[in-house]
Amino acid sequence: MSLRRLGSLSAVLLTATALTACSAEPVEADDPKSSGTGTTAPSGAPGGAPNKGDLPLADAIRKIPVAEEKRTGYERDSFKHWADEDDDGCPTRQEVLIAEAVTAPEQGARCTLSGGSWLSYYDEAEVTDAKKLDIDHMVPLAEAWDSGAHDWTPERREAYANDLDAERSLVAVTAKTNRSKADRDPAQWMPPAQSAACTYLVDWTATKLRWNLSADETEQAALLELAEPCADSTVEYEPAS
């Protein structure tokens, strides 16, 4: 199990049972964490040494490089995802589900999971069927491609798609909210639960900074406007290796 997930999300997730090995993959170009406002914990930064303290959300947003998006050449398969990065028999999808469970599921052969409980923070939904859960890439794969991943090596894209070292990179949410989000940025989509807004903006910003991804001008303007009610929210991040 990656260090990213241990014990970090227990305060924010609730109920779901009967988790099987893998639920259906999202149709999105891409596939719960605490909700609400206030201080939020680590994720990522643009190159250099890790940030030593929390940044106010608006200041963190301004640290995201601004550049035009480049979608040309994107294919979802450019990002190898749901890999078993630590060779423990559990692919990334299962690792996230195990880590984000309020009640730990039982693990069977080939990382088949049963039992457990979860809460989707995007919509505050208690999930009782694991097949209704997707694992969302906080910054969708297509958006990551647009924002700089088109220049990455295949190995770095795989590391991004399976990032278990930052708790904000991947989240377990209801399939319907994940698929509603698709590959859209916050200028085009925000979680339906009002309580999720500030957390989502922190998570998005931290992920962009962690992987040194850019934002276009429309995205940056939307982030800053949406962040206005989140004066107490802060971002702490660590660059991806």
Side-chain angles (χ1 to χ4, degrees), residues 180-217:
S180 171
K181 172 181 172 178
D183 62 359
R184 294 184 288 178
D185 67 34
Q188 304 160 314
W189 187 90
M190 285 289 290
Q194 185 175 359
S195 62
C198 293
T199 298
Y200 186 78
L201 294 170
V202 168
D203 291 357
W204 181 277
T205 300
T207 302
K208 284 239 163 170
L209 291 173
R210 172 170 169 75
W211 289 93
N212 197 23
L213 294 170
S214 63
D216 62 21
E217 291 182 355

PDB file of all heavy atoms in Angstrom, residues 180-217:
ATOM      1  N   SER A 180     -20.256  12.622 -15.250  1.00  0.00           N
ATOM      2  CA  SER A 180     -20.741  13.971 -15.509  1.00  0.00           C
ATOM      3  C   SER A 180     -19.572  14.944 -15.667  1.00  0.00           C
ATOM      4  O   SER A 180     -19.578  15.813 -16.532  1.00  0.00           O
ATOM      5  CB  SER A 180     -21.645  14.426 -14.357  1.00  0.00           C
ATOM      6  OG  SER A 180     -21.957  15.788 -14.465  1.00  0.00           O
ATOM      7  N   LYS A 181     -18.560  14.749 -14.856  1.00  0.00           N
ATOM      8  CA  LYS A 181     -17.351  15.575 -14.933  1.00  0.00           C
ATOM      9  C   LYS A 181     -16.615  15.357 -16.249  1.00  0.00           C
ATOM     10  O   LYS A 181     -16.159  16.320 -16.883  1.00  0.00           O
ATOM     11  CB  LYS A 181     -16.428  15.239 -13.767  1.00  0.00           C
ATOM     12  CG  LYS A 181     -15.051  15.892 -13.836  1.00  0.00           C
ATOM     13  CD  LYS A 181     -14.197  15.475 -12.640  1.00  0.00           C
ATOM     14  CE  LYS A 181     -12.767  15.946 -12.772  1.00  0.00           C
ATOM     15  NZ  LYS A 181     -11.953  15.570 -11.591  1.00  0.00           N
ATOM     16  N   ALA A 182     -16.468  14.088 -16.662  1.00  0.00           N
ATOM     17  CA  ALA A 182     -15.742  13.728 -17.871  1.00  0.00           C
ATOM     18  C   ALA A 182     -14.339  14.338 -17.842  1.00  0.00           C
ATOM     19  O   ALA A 182     -13.632  14.209 -16.844  1.00  0.00           O
ATOM     20  CB  ALA A 182     -16.538  14.128 -19.108  1.00  0.00           C
ATOM     21  N   ASP A 183     -13.947  15.041 -18.890  1.00  0.00           N
ATOM     22  CA  ASP A 183     -12.592  15.609 -18.924  1.00  0.00           C
ATOM     23  C   ASP A 183     -12.598  17.123 -18.726  1.00  0.00           C
ATOM     24  O   ASP A 183     -11.663  17.821 -19.111  1.00  0.00           O
ATOM     25  CB  ASP A 183     -11.893  15.250 -20.242  1.00  0.00           C
ATOM     26  CG  ASP A 183     -12.601  15.801 -21.475  1.00  0.00           C
ATOM     27  OD1 ASP A 183     -13.661  16.468 -21.330  1.00  0.00           O
ATOM     28  OD2 ASP A 183     -12.111  15.576 -22.598  1.00  0.00           O
ATOM     29  N   ARG A 184     -13.648  17.630 -18.081  1.00  0.00           N
ATOM     30  CA  ARG A 184     -13.815  19.076 -17.958  1.00  0.00           C
ATOM     31  C   ARG A 184     -13.065  19.656 -16.766  1.00  0.00           C
ATOM     32  O   ARG A 184     -12.930  19.016 -15.729  1.00  0.00           O
ATOM     33  CB  ARG A 184     -15.309  19.406 -17.866  1.00  0.00           C
ATOM     34  CG  ARG A 184     -16.057  19.066 -19.157  1.00  0.00           C
ATOM     35  CD  ARG A 184     -17.509  19.470 -19.107  1.00  0.00           C
ATOM     36  NE  ARG A 184     -18.295  18.622 -18.215  1.00  0.00           N
ATOM     37  CZ  ARG A 184     -19.587  18.801 -17.975  1.00  0.00           C
ATOM     38  NH1 ARG A 184     -20.225  19.830 -18.542  1.00  0.00           N
ATOM     39  NH2 ARG A 184     -20.239  17.986 -17.182  1.00  0.00           N
ATOM     40  N   ASP A 185     -12.597  20.881 -16.929  1.00  0.00           N
ATOM     41  CA  ASP A 185     -11.923  21.566 -15.831  1.00  0.00           C
ATOM     42  C   ASP A 185     -12.952  22.369 -15.022  1.00  0.00           C
ATOM     43  O   ASP A 185     -14.137  22.417 -15.378  1.00  0.00           O
ATOM     44  CB  ASP A 185     -10.775  22.443 -16.352  1.00  0.00           C
ATOM     45  CG  ASP A 185     -11.225  23.636 -17.185  1.00  0.00           C
ATOM     46  OD1 ASP A 185     -12.307  24.212 -16.904  1.00  0.00           O
ATOM     47  OD2 ASP A 185     -10.501  24.018 -18.123  1.00  0.00           O
ATOM     48  N   PRO A 186     -12.549  23.015 -13.920  1.00  0.00           N
ATOM     49  CA  PRO A 186     -13.522  23.710 -13.060  1.00  0.00           C
ATOM     50  C   PRO A 186     -14.242  24.885 -13.721  1.00  0.00           C
ATOM     51  O   PRO A 186     -15.257  25.337 -13.199  1.00  0.00           O
ATOM     52  CB  PRO A 186     -12.667  24.171 -11.879  1.00  0.00           C
ATOM     53  CG  PRO A 186     -11.575  23.148 -11.797  1.00  0.00           C
ATOM     54  CD  PRO A 186     -11.238  22.875 -13.239  1.00  0.00           C
ATOM     55  N   ALA A 187     -13.741  25.375 -14.843  1.00  0.00           N
ATOM     56  CA  ALA A 187     -14.480  26.406 -15.572  1.00  0.00           C
ATOM     57  C   ALA A 187     -15.747  25.826 -16.180  1.00  0.00           C
ATOM     58  O   ALA A 187     -16.711  26.562 -16.471  1.00  0.00           O
ATOM     59  CB  ALA A 187     -13.602  26.996 -16.679  1.00  0.00           C
ATOM     60  N   GLN A 188     -15.769  24.491 -16.356  1.00  0.00           N
ATOM     61  CA  GLN A 188     -16.889  23.836 -17.020  1.00  0.00           C
ATOM     62  C   GLN A 188     -17.684  22.911 -16.103  1.00  0.00           C
ATOM     63  O   GLN A 188     -18.828  22.567 -16.409  1.00  0.00           O
ATOM     64  CB  GLN A 188     -16.349  23.013 -18.195  1.00  0.00           C
ATOM     65  CG  GLN A 188     -15.538  23.843 -19.179  1.00  0.00           C
ATOM     66  CD  GLN A 188     -14.635  22.973 -20.040  1.00  0.00           C
ATOM     67  OE1 GLN A 188     -13.955  22.073 -19.555  1.00  0.00           O
ATOM     68  NE2 GLN A 188     -14.633  23.239 -21.324  1.00  0.00           N
ATOM     69  N   TRP A 189     -17.088  22.469 -14.988  1.00  0.00           N
ATOM     70  CA  TRP A 189     -17.755  21.510 -14.106  1.00  0.00           C
ATOM     71  C   TRP A 189     -17.224  21.653 -12.686  1.00  0.00           C
ATOM     72  O   TRP A 189     -16.014  21.789 -12.471  1.00  0.00           O
ATOM     73  CB  TRP A 189     -17.518  20.081 -14.579  1.00  0.00           C
ATOM     74  CG  TRP A 189     -18.301  19.047 -13.823  1.00  0.00           C
ATOM     75  CD1 TRP A 189     -19.545  18.578 -14.117  1.00  0.00           C
ATOM     76  CD2 TRP A 189     -17.904  18.352 -12.622  1.00  0.00           C
ATOM     77  NE1 TRP A 189     -19.954  17.647 -13.189  1.00  0.00           N
ATOM     78  CE2 TRP A 189     -18.958  17.479 -12.264  1.00  0.00           C
ATOM     79  CE3 TRP A 189     -16.756  18.383 -11.821  1.00  0.00           C
ATOM     80  CZ2 TRP A 189     -18.904  16.654 -11.139  1.00  0.00           C
ATOM     81  CZ3 TRP A 189     -16.692  17.567 -10.704  1.00  0.00           C
ATOM     82  CH2 TRP A 189     -17.759  16.707 -10.364  1.00  0.00           C
ATOM     83  N   MET A 190     -18.169  21.609 -11.738  1.00  0.00           N
ATOM     84  CA  MET A 190     -17.835  21.551 -10.323  1.00  0.00           C
ATOM     85  C   MET A 190     -18.714  20.494  -9.667  1.00  0.00           C
ATOM     86  O   MET A 190     -19.801  20.190 -10.144  1.00  0.00           O
ATOM     87  CB  MET A 190     -18.064  22.910  -9.654  1.00  0.00           C
ATOM     88  CG  MET A 190     -16.996  23.948  -9.989  1.00  0.00           C
ATOM     89  SD  MET A 190     -15.402  23.593  -9.197  1.00  0.00           S
ATOM     90  CE  MET A 190     -15.783  23.938  -7.466  1.00  0.00           C
ATOM     91  N   PRO A 191     -18.271  19.900  -8.557  1.00  0.00           N
ATOM     92  CA  PRO A 191     -19.085  18.885  -7.886  1.00  0.00           C
ATOM     93  C   PRO A 191     -20.456  19.433  -7.512  1.00  0.00           C
ATOM     94  O   PRO A 191     -20.583  20.615  -7.158  1.00  0.00           O
ATOM     95  CB  PRO A 191     -18.267  18.555  -6.632  1.00  0.00           C
ATOM     96  CG  PRO A 191     -16.870  18.925  -6.973  1.00  0.00           C
ATOM     97  CD  PRO A 191     -16.981  20.119  -7.870  1.00  0.00           C
ATOM     98  N   PRO A 192     -21.488  18.602  -7.569  1.00  0.00           N
ATOM     99  CA  PRO A 192     -22.837  19.077  -7.247  1.00  0.00           C
ATOM    100  C   PRO A 192     -23.041  19.443  -5.786  1.00  0.00           C
ATOM    101  O   PRO A 192     -23.889  20.282  -5.484  1.00  0.00           O
ATOM    102  CB  PRO A 192     -23.725  17.891  -7.653  1.00  0.00           C
ATOM    103  CG  PRO A 192     -22.834  16.704  -7.661  1.00  0.00           C
ATOM    104  CD  PRO A 192     -21.491  17.215  -8.062  1.00  0.00           C
ATOM    105  N   ALA A 193     -22.277  18.842  -4.873  1.00  0.00           N
ATOM    106  CA  ALA A 193     -22.429  19.166  -3.450  1.00  0.00           C
ATOM    107  C   ALA A 193     -21.716  20.479  -3.148  1.00  0.00           C
ATOM    108  O   ALA A 193     -20.514  20.623  -3.391  1.00  0.00           O
ATOM    109  CB  ALA A 193     -21.855  18.051  -2.581  1.00  0.00           C
ATOM    110  N   GLN A 194     -22.452  21.438  -2.603  1.00  0.00           N
ATOM    111  CA  GLN A 194     -21.859  22.728  -2.270  1.00  0.00           C
ATOM    112  C   GLN A 194     -20.711  22.564  -1.276  1.00  0.00           C
ATOM    113  O   GLN A 194     -19.709  23.288  -1.339  1.00  0.00           O
ATOM    114  CB  GLN A 194     -22.924  23.664  -1.707  1.00  0.00           C
ATOM    115  CG  GLN A 194     -22.433  25.083  -1.446  1.00  0.00           C
ATOM    116  CD  GLN A 194     -23.558  26.017  -1.001  1.00  0.00           C
ATOM    117  OE1 GLN A 194     -24.715  25.600  -0.907  1.00  0.00           O
ATOM    118  NE2 GLN A 194     -23.225  27.259  -0.717  1.00  0.00           N
ATOM    119  N   SER A 195     -20.838  21.606  -0.384  1.00  0.00           N
ATOM    120  CA  SER A 195     -19.809  21.369   0.628  1.00  0.00           C
ATOM    121  C   SER A 195     -18.497  20.913   0.027  1.00  0.00           C
ATOM    122  O   SER A 195     -17.444  20.979   0.670  1.00  0.00           O
ATOM    123  CB  SER A 195     -20.294  20.313   1.626  1.00  0.00           C
ATOM    124  OG  SER A 195     -20.520  19.076   0.963  1.00  0.00           O
ATOM    125  N   ALA A 196     -18.521  20.433  -1.220  1.00  0.00           N
ATOM    126  CA  ALA A 196     -17.317  19.897  -1.858  1.00  0.00           C
ATOM    127  C   ALA A 196     -16.498  20.961  -2.573  1.00  0.00           C
ATOM    128  O   ALA A 196     -15.349  20.714  -2.945  1.00  0.00           O
ATOM    129  CB  ALA A 196     -17.705  18.810  -2.857  1.00  0.00           C
ATOM    130  N   ALA A 197     -17.047  22.144  -2.766  1.00  0.00           N
ATOM    131  CA  ALA A 197     -16.441  23.119  -3.673  1.00  0.00           C
ATOM    132  C   ALA A 197     -15.016  23.490  -3.301  1.00  0.00           C
ATOM    133  O   ALA A 197     -14.097  23.397  -4.129  1.00  0.00           O
ATOM    134  CB  ALA A 197     -17.311  24.364  -3.753  1.00  0.00           C
ATOM    135  N   CYS A 198     -14.798  23.926  -2.075  1.00  0.00           N
ATOM    136  CA  CYS A 198     -13.462  24.394  -1.701  1.00  0.00           C
ATOM    137  C   CYS A 198     -12.453  23.252  -1.685  1.00  0.00           C
ATOM    138  O   CYS A 198     -11.307  23.415  -2.133  1.00  0.00           O
ATOM    139  CB  CYS A 198     -13.504  25.102  -0.349  1.00  0.00           C
ATOM    140  SG  CYS A 198     -14.435  26.667  -0.393  1.00  0.00           S
ATOM    141  N   THR A 199     -12.872  22.097  -1.191  1.00  0.00           N
ATOM    142  CA  THR A 199     -11.985  20.941  -1.199  1.00  0.00           C
ATOM    143  C   THR A 199     -11.599  20.574  -2.627  1.00  0.00           C
ATOM    144  O   THR A 199     -10.433  20.286  -2.920  1.00  0.00           O
ATOM    145  CB  THR A 199     -12.652  19.736  -0.509  1.00  0.00           C
ATOM    146  OG1 THR A 199     -12.899  20.079   0.848  1.00  0.00           O
ATOM    147  CG2 THR A 199     -11.764  18.505  -0.555  1.00  0.00           C
ATOM    148  N   TYR A 200     -12.571  20.595  -3.511  1.00  0.00           N
ATOM    149  CA  TYR A 200     -12.306  20.245  -4.903  1.00  0.00           C
ATOM    150  C   TYR A 200     -11.311  21.227  -5.537  1.00  0.00           C
ATOM    151  O   TYR A 200     -10.381  20.820  -6.251  1.00  0.00           O
ATOM    152  CB  TYR A 200     -13.606  20.233  -5.687  1.00  0.00           C
ATOM    153  CG  TYR A 200     -13.462  19.739  -7.109  1.00  0.00           C
ATOM    154  CD1 TYR A 200     -13.362  18.381  -7.379  1.00  0.00           C
ATOM    155  CD2 TYR A 200     -13.433  20.632  -8.179  1.00  0.00           C
ATOM    156  CE1 TYR A 200     -13.227  17.914  -8.688  1.00  0.00           C
ATOM    157  CE2 TYR A 200     -13.299  20.180  -9.483  1.00  0.00           C
ATOM    158  CZ  TYR A 200     -13.195  18.820  -9.729  1.00  0.00           C
ATOM    159  OH  TYR A 200     -13.048  18.371 -11.033  1.00  0.00           O
ATOM    160  N   LEU A 201     -11.480  22.502  -5.272  1.00  0.00           N
ATOM    161  CA  LEU A 201     -10.556  23.497  -5.826  1.00  0.00           C
ATOM    162  C   LEU A 201      -9.146  23.311  -5.277  1.00  0.00           C
ATOM    163  O   LEU A 201      -8.160  23.454  -6.013  1.00  0.00           O
ATOM    164  CB  LEU A 201     -11.066  24.906  -5.519  1.00  0.00           C
ATOM    165  CG  LEU A 201     -12.382  25.299  -6.204  1.00  0.00           C
ATOM    166  CD1 LEU A 201     -12.907  26.615  -5.637  1.00  0.00           C
ATOM    167  CD2 LEU A 201     -12.206  25.390  -7.720  1.00  0.00           C
ATOM    168  N   VAL A 202      -9.042  22.981  -3.996  1.00  0.00           N
ATOM    169  CA  VAL A 202      -7.732  22.695  -3.404  1.00  0.00           C
ATOM    170  C   VAL A 202      -7.110  21.466  -4.059  1.00  0.00           C
ATOM    171  O   VAL A 202      -5.935  21.463  -4.436  1.00  0.00           O
ATOM    172  CB  VAL A 202      -7.854  22.495  -1.878  1.00  0.00           C
ATOM    173  CG1 VAL A 202      -6.571  21.902  -1.295  1.00  0.00           C
ATOM    174  CG2 VAL A 202      -8.156  23.826  -1.193  1.00  0.00           C
ATOM    175  N   ASP A 203      -7.918  20.419  -4.204  1.00  0.00           N
ATOM    176  CA  ASP A 203      -7.414  19.177  -4.780  1.00  0.00           C
ATOM    177  C   ASP A 203      -6.950  19.385  -6.226  1.00  0.00           C
ATOM    178  O   ASP A 203      -5.907  18.879  -6.645  1.00  0.00           O
ATOM    179  CB  ASP A 203      -8.502  18.108  -4.735  1.00  0.00           C
ATOM    180  CG  ASP A 203      -8.820  17.644  -3.324  1.00  0.00           C
ATOM    181  OD1 ASP A 203      -8.157  18.106  -2.376  1.00  0.00           O
ATOM    182  OD2 ASP A 203      -9.742  16.819  -3.168  1.00  0.00           O
ATOM    183  N   TRP A 204      -7.750  20.090  -6.997  1.00  0.00           N
ATOM    184  CA  TRP A 204      -7.411  20.367  -8.393  1.00  0.00           C
ATOM    185  C   TRP A 204      -6.110  21.169  -8.481  1.00  0.00           C
ATOM    186  O   TRP A 204      -5.195  20.821  -9.241  1.00  0.00           O
ATOM    187  CB  TRP A 204      -8.560  21.126  -9.057  1.00  0.00           C
ATOM    188  CG  TRP A 204      -8.327  21.443 -10.510  1.00  0.00           C
ATOM    189  CD1 TRP A 204      -7.612  22.491 -11.013  1.00  0.00           C
ATOM    190  CD2 TRP A 204      -8.811  20.694 -11.628  1.00  0.00           C
ATOM    191  NE1 TRP A 204      -7.622  22.437 -12.393  1.00  0.00           N
ATOM    192  CE2 TRP A 204      -8.344  21.355 -12.794  1.00  0.00           C
ATOM    193  CE3 TRP A 204      -9.590  19.557 -11.767  1.00  0.00           C
ATOM    194  CZ2 TRP A 204      -8.643  20.889 -14.079  1.00  0.00           C
ATOM    195  CZ3 TRP A 204      -9.891  19.093 -13.043  1.00  0.00           C
ATOM    196  CH2 TRP A 204      -9.410  19.757 -14.184  1.00  0.00           C
ATOM    197  N   THR A 205      -6.036  22.231  -7.699  1.00  0.00           N
ATOM    198  CA  THR A 205      -4.863  23.102  -7.731  1.00  0.00           C
ATOM    199  C   THR A 205      -3.608  22.353  -7.299  1.00  0.00           C
ATOM    200  O   THR A 205      -2.551  22.450  -7.936  1.00  0.00           O
ATOM    201  CB  THR A 205      -5.098  24.326  -6.832  1.00  0.00           C
ATOM    202  OG1 THR A 205      -6.240  25.043  -7.303  1.00  0.00           O
ATOM    203  CG2 THR A 205      -3.895  25.256  -6.822  1.00  0.00           C
ATOM    204  N   ALA A 206      -3.715  21.589  -6.215  1.00  0.00           N
ATOM    205  CA  ALA A 206      -2.562  20.840  -5.719  1.00  0.00           C
ATOM    206  C   ALA A 206      -2.076  19.820  -6.734  1.00  0.00           C
ATOM    207  O   ALA A 206      -0.867  19.617  -6.899  1.00  0.00           O
ATOM    208  CB  ALA A 206      -2.915  20.148  -4.404  1.00  0.00           C
ATOM    209  N   THR A 207      -3.001  19.188  -7.445  1.00  0.00           N
ATOM    210  CA  THR A 207      -2.606  18.195  -8.446  1.00  0.00           C
ATOM    211  C   THR A 207      -1.910  18.861  -9.623  1.00  0.00           C
ATOM    212  O   THR A 207      -0.887  18.370 -10.132  1.00  0.00           O
ATOM    213  CB  THR A 207      -3.832  17.394  -8.921  1.00  0.00           C
ATOM    214  OG1 THR A 207      -4.445  16.777  -7.790  1.00  0.00           O
ATOM    215  CG2 THR A 207      -3.436  16.327  -9.921  1.00  0.00           C
ATOM    216  N   LYS A 208      -2.434  19.981 -10.048  1.00  0.00           N
ATOM    217  CA  LYS A 208      -1.774  20.705 -11.150  1.00  0.00           C
ATOM    218  C   LYS A 208      -0.369  21.145 -10.751  1.00  0.00           C
ATOM    219  O   LYS A 208       0.592  21.035 -11.535  1.00  0.00           O
ATOM    220  CB  LYS A 208      -2.622  21.905 -11.576  1.00  0.00           C
ATOM    221  CG  LYS A 208      -3.838  21.530 -12.409  1.00  0.00           C
ATOM    222  CD  LYS A 208      -3.848  22.184 -13.770  1.00  0.00           C
ATOM    223  CE  LYS A 208      -4.806  21.511 -14.735  1.00  0.00           C
ATOM    224  NZ  LYS A 208      -4.978  22.283 -15.979  1.00  0.00           N
ATOM    225  N   LEU A 209      -0.222  21.633  -9.533  1.00  0.00           N
ATOM    226  CA  LEU A 209       1.089  22.063  -9.078  1.00  0.00           C
ATOM    227  C   LEU A 209       2.037  20.881  -8.881  1.00  0.00           C
ATOM    228  O   LEU A 209       3.219  20.954  -9.234  1.00  0.00           O
ATOM    229  CB  LEU A 209       0.961  22.857  -7.778  1.00  0.00           C
ATOM    230  CG  LEU A 209       0.302  24.227  -7.904  1.00  0.00           C
ATOM    231  CD1 LEU A 209       0.070  24.853  -6.535  1.00  0.00           C
ATOM    232  CD2 LEU A 209       1.133  25.163  -8.777  1.00  0.00           C
ATOM    233  N   ARG A 210       1.532  19.817  -8.320  1.00  0.00           N
ATOM    234  CA  ARG A 210       2.369  18.629  -8.089  1.00  0.00           C
ATOM    235  C   ARG A 210       3.024  18.138  -9.381  1.00  0.00           C
ATOM    236  O   ARG A 210       4.189  17.759  -9.393  1.00  0.00           O
ATOM    237  CB  ARG A 210       1.519  17.520  -7.477  1.00  0.00           C
ATOM    238  CG  ARG A 210       2.227  16.172  -7.374  1.00  0.00           C
ATOM    239  CD  ARG A 210       1.407  15.205  -6.536  1.00  0.00           C
ATOM    240  NE  ARG A 210       1.914  13.842  -6.621  1.00  0.00           N
ATOM    241  CZ  ARG A 210       3.006  13.393  -6.010  1.00  0.00           C
ATOM    242  NH1 ARG A 210       3.747  14.219  -5.268  1.00  0.00           N
ATOM    243  NH2 ARG A 210       3.383  12.130  -6.125  1.00  0.00           N
ATOM    244  N   TRP A 211       2.255  18.172 -10.473  1.00  0.00           N
ATOM    245  CA  TRP A 211       2.748  17.648 -11.736  1.00  0.00           C
ATOM    246  C   TRP A 211       3.168  18.738 -12.714  1.00  0.00           C
ATOM    247  O   TRP A 211       3.433  18.462 -13.881  1.00  0.00           O
ATOM    248  CB  TRP A 211       1.676  16.748 -12.349  1.00  0.00           C
ATOM    249  CG  TRP A 211       1.549  15.464 -11.577  1.00  0.00           C
ATOM    250  CD1 TRP A 211       0.682  15.211 -10.547  1.00  0.00           C
ATOM    251  CD2 TRP A 211       2.352  14.302 -11.725  1.00  0.00           C
ATOM    252  NE1 TRP A 211       0.892  13.952 -10.048  1.00  0.00           N
ATOM    253  CE2 TRP A 211       1.906  13.360 -10.755  1.00  0.00           C
ATOM    254  CE3 TRP A 211       3.395  13.934 -12.584  1.00  0.00           C
ATOM    255  CZ2 TRP A 211       2.485  12.091 -10.637  1.00  0.00           C
ATOM    256  CZ3 TRP A 211       3.956  12.686 -12.468  1.00  0.00           C
ATOM    257  CH2 TRP A 211       3.500  11.774 -11.501  1.00  0.00           C
ATOM    258  N   ASN A 212       3.268  19.962 -12.239  1.00  0.00           N
ATOM    259  CA  ASN A 212       3.694  21.090 -13.064  1.00  0.00           C
ATOM    260  C   ASN A 212       2.860  21.192 -14.341  1.00  0.00           C
ATOM    261  O   ASN A 212       3.376  21.401 -15.436  1.00  0.00           O
ATOM    262  CB  ASN A 212       5.176  20.987 -13.421  1.00  0.00           C
ATOM    263  CG  ASN A 212       5.744  22.306 -13.919  1.00  0.00           C
ATOM    264  OD1 ASN A 212       5.215  23.379 -13.625  1.00  0.00           O
ATOM    265  ND2 ASN A 212       6.819  22.234 -14.689  1.00  0.00           N
ATOM    266  N   LEU A 213       1.556  21.056 -14.175  1.00  0.00           N
ATOM    267  CA  LEU A 213       0.631  21.194 -15.293  1.00  0.00           C
ATOM    268  C   LEU A 213       0.153  22.638 -15.391  1.00  0.00           C
ATOM    269  O   LEU A 213       0.025  23.327 -14.381  1.00  0.00           O
ATOM    270  CB  LEU A 213      -0.567  20.259 -15.101  1.00  0.00           C
ATOM    271  CG  LEU A 213      -0.243  18.766 -15.155  1.00  0.00           C
ATOM    272  CD1 LEU A 213      -1.457  17.945 -14.695  1.00  0.00           C
ATOM    273  CD2 LEU A 213       0.189  18.340 -16.554  1.00  0.00           C
ATOM    274  N   SER A 214      -0.138  23.080 -16.582  1.00  0.00           N
ATOM    275  CA  SER A 214      -0.550  24.462 -16.797  1.00  0.00           C
ATOM    276  C   SER A 214      -2.063  24.593 -16.736  1.00  0.00           C
ATOM    277  O   SER A 214      -2.801  23.613 -16.646  1.00  0.00           O
ATOM    278  CB  SER A 214      -0.038  24.945 -18.158  1.00  0.00           C
ATOM    279  OG  SER A 214      -0.627  24.179 -19.201  1.00  0.00           O
ATOM    280  N   ALA A 215      -2.526  25.824 -16.801  1.00  0.00           N
ATOM    281  CA  ALA A 215      -3.953  26.147 -16.931  1.00  0.00           C
ATOM    282  C   ALA A 215      -4.080  27.197 -18.021  1.00  0.00           C
ATOM    283  O   ALA A 215      -3.204  28.062 -18.158  1.00  0.00           O
ATOM    284  CB  ALA A 215      -4.506  26.688 -15.617  1.00  0.00           C
ATOM    285  N   ASP A 216      -5.151  27.120 -18.801  1.00  0.00           N
ATOM    286  CA  ASP A 216      -5.346  28.202 -19.756  1.00  0.00           C
ATOM    287  C   ASP A 216      -5.972  29.393 -19.028  1.00  0.00           C
ATOM    288  O   ASP A 216      -6.334  29.313 -17.845  1.00  0.00           O
ATOM    289  CB  ASP A 216      -6.159  27.756 -20.969  1.00  0.00           C
ATOM    290  CG  ASP A 216      -7.569  27.294 -20.631  1.00  0.00           C
ATOM    291  OD1 ASP A 216      -8.101  27.666 -19.564  1.00  0.00           O
ATOM    292  OD2 ASP A 216      -8.152  26.541 -21.434  1.00  0.00           O
ATOM    293  N   GLU A 217      -6.098  30.508 -19.712  1.00  0.00           N
ATOM    294  CA  GLU A 217      -6.558  31.731 -19.055  1.00  0.00           C
ATOM    295  C   GLU A 217      -7.986  31.592 -18.534  1.00  0.00           C
ATOM    296  O   GLU A 217      -8.307  32.094 -17.447  1.00  0.00           O
ATOM    297  CB  GLU A 217      -6.450  32.909 -20.027  1.00  0.00           C
ATOM    298  CG  GLU A 217      -5.007  33.289 -20.351  1.00  0.00           C
ATOM    299  CD  GLU A 217      -4.920  34.490 -21.287  1.00  0.00           C
ATOM    300  OE1 GLU A 217      -5.990  34.967 -21.754  1.00  0.00           O
ATOM    301  OE2 GLU A 217      -3.789  34.948 -21.552  1.00  0.00           O
TER     302      GLU A 217
END
